[in-house]
Amino acid sequence: MLEANNRQIAALSLSLLDLTDLGETTTAEAIDSLCDKAITPFGPTAAICIWPRFVAQARARLGAHHAVRIATVVNFPSGDLPVDAVVAETVQAVADGADEIDLVIPYRALMAGDEQAVVDMVTAVRAAAPHPVTLKTILETGELKDKALIRKASDLAIAHGADFIKTSTGKVAINATLTAADIMLNAIREHGGKVGFKPAGGVRTVADAQLYLKLAATILGQDWPMPSTFRFGASGLLTDILATLEGRESAAPQAQY
């Protein structure tokens, strides 16, 4: 991992990619295209990540047992919906064929000092999406800002059933950063290294991806990043991955501390 070349990093990143379309004007045609793009000449992406209303369509397009998993978002992007509404969203998404639920925690409540709101939301959604459904919790670290608060959000999510902790919705000014990643990966390590990590928003190049992969390998071990423990939430990253695997010029890194 730490000594891997660009093609190796690109191939690994492809296997870890949640190819994402959460645009406000997404169409059914765009979802079909996303499903098709997720199956590349170099292998499939780990998942697609889409709005709940498109899950059934994507399931029909990809089939019941395809290698590409279907992730969808709940309590997204605000994090402010009532627990019962989010549970209803989750139940419907799972019924429609979602393999993975990306839940925005009530991060504004946490910022106001209400840790119980996070506990209640994560616990309820975990119950509504039992294993083998994967539960990823979105902390919205760019809004939390404070390092201690990011660590608190990580600890609460892990303790109450999250399979992954994810940086961001991609809908705010500051999304994934290496600083937030460092805090979250250390929390995962201190909880035994069994929970996954997903940087989302702003990871656009193979060079960006390599920065996060190296950080994860340094904290949790060279063999730790795999689809069951590490994902990238991105829409544009696939373009640079394919350019690298095809031997075309890759872009410069953009990820920042």
Side-chain angles (χ1 to χ4, degrees):
M1 166 64 64
L2 296 176
E3 303 302 325
N5 63 37
N6 278 353
R7 281 184 63 87
Q8 290 170 320
I9 293 294
L12 177 59
S13 298
L14 177 64
S15 75
L16 305 177
L17 180 60
D18 286 3
L19 186 62
T20 300
D21 187 342
L22 295 169
E24 301 301 327
T25 57
T26 300
T27 63
E29 292 75 17
I31 295 301
D32 281 348
S33 176
L34 191 78
C35 291
D36 296 345
K37 278 197 247 181
I39 305 164
T40 84
F42 301 97
T45 66
I48 57 170
C49 188
I50 56 178
W51 292 106
R53 64 184 179 273
F54 295 116
V55 168
Q57 174 191 336
R59 175 51 67 208
R61 185 80 171 187
L62 290 170
H65 303 293
H66 201 277
V68 178
R69 292 168 66 84
I70 298 173
T72 193
V73 290
V74 298
N75 204 23
F76 186 95
S78 70
D80 288 339
L81 293 177
V83 171
D84 58 350
V86 181
V87 166
E89 266 189 318
T90 303
V91 169
Q92 186 62 57
V94 172
D96 286 344
D99 302 298
E100 304 181 356
I101 299 293
D102 287 28
L103 162 71
V104 183
I105 68 166
Y107 63 89
R108 291 188 182 91
L110 181 61
M111 291 165 68
D114 186 359
E115 295 181 13
Q116 192 62 43
V118 178
V119 173
D120 291 347
M121 182 67 77
V122 175
T123 301
V125 174
R126 174 78 280 175
H131 292 104
V133 177
T134 298
L135 176 60
K136 308 191 200 91
T137 49
I138 304 172
L139 310 186
E140 203 68 290
T141 55
E143 295 293 285
L144 294 179
K145 297 183 175 70
D146 180 75
K147 292 180 180 180
L149 207 52
I150 294 170
R151 177 56 194 256
K152 175 57 71 175
S154 300
D155 290 339
L156 289 171
I158 293 169
H160 292 91
D163 297 307
F164 274 73
I165 51 176
K166 174 178 171 181
T167 59
S168 324
T169 60
K171 299 289 189 180
V172 294
I174 300 172
N175 291 289
T177 68
L178 290 163
T179 299
D182 184 79
I183 296 165
M184 294 166 70
L185 288 163
N186 273 290
I188 290 168
R189 179 178 61 80
E190 291 170 29
H191 283 271
K194 305 295 187 187
V195 170
F197 170 68
K198 180 177 173 179
V203 183
R204 298 184 179 91
T205 69
V206 172
D208 289 340
Q210 185 171 24
L211 294 174
Y212 285 98
L213 289 168
K214 281 187 172 182
L215 183 62
T218 299
I219 293 170
L220 284 152
Q222 293 229 56
D223 296 329
W224 187 80
M226 61 183 72
S228 60
T229 56
F230 195 110
R231 299 288 182 83
F232 290 109
S235 53
L237 179 57
L238 182 62
T239 300
D240 202 52
I241 287 172
L242 294 178
T244 302
L245 292 174
E246 291 166 0
R248 296 183 282 117
E249 186 173 351
S250 180
Q254 298 181 26
Q256 298 292 325
Y257 274 95

